[in-house]
Amino acid sequence: MDVLEMTRRRHGDLVVVSLAGEVDLDNVSDVRKCLDEAVETHGPRLVVDLTGLTFIDTTGLGVLVRLLATLRDRNGSMALVAPDGQVLRRLRRTNLAPLFPIYDTLSQALA
């Protein structure tokens, strides 16, 4: 099992939360808390960098979708960085990919 690592940093009016490792039922509440705190502290414009993520289950995907809805209600935005791999395939298979702007690199998401 991969240990989940979460980092948060500010880029102008955006906050970037990077997730690395695995997101699953065992740690999804920590992910939710980290993302909620990022929005509360830095505002409703968020980029979630999933480049280092090796696995995300449906509970993790649910957190992303719920947060996106919350941000849209606040006139905010949320983009994902998900280069080709398991996470992007899962977003596509679950038909969630069209909900998010998805970028291959963090620099593209910040441009």
Side-chain angles (χ1 to χ4, degrees):
M1 179 174 90
D2 285 352
V3 174
L4 176 66
E5 295 180 21
M6 298 177 285
T7 59
R8 208 170 51 195
R9 61 192 179 281
R10 191 164 177 94
H11 286 273
D13 63 343
L14 291 172
V15 62
V16 176
V17 175
S18 298
L19 304 176
E22 296 183 355
V23 173
D24 57 26
L25 186 59
D26 292 333
N27 59 23
V28 74
S29 61
D30 295 333
V31 173
R32 182 183 306 111
K33 181 180 177 186
C34 178
L35 293 171
D36 288 345
E37 287 175 355
V39 171
E40 289 172 23
T41 304
H42 301 291
R45 298 199 55 223
L46 182 67
V47 174
V48 182
D49 185 355
L50 306 174
T51 302
L53 215 56
T54 57
F55 176 80
I56 188 168
D57 71 3
T58 56
T59 61
L61 294 174
V63 166
L64 295 177
V65 171
R66 281 189 295 280
L67 183 58
L68 176 64
T70 299
L71 290 172
R72 286 182 175 169
D73 287 345
R74 295 176 57 189
N75 293 318
S77 63
M78 180 172 151
L80 303 178
V81 179
D84 195 29
Q86 187 274 341
V87 173
L88 183 58
R89 284 192 302 276
R90 176 143 305 182
L91 285 163
R92 288 178 176 156
R93 270 195 310 258
T94 56
N95 293 319
L96 296 176
L99 298 177
F100 301 92
I102 299 176
Y103 299 92
D104 289 331
T105 66
L106 181 58
S107 60
Q108 290 173 342
L110 295 174

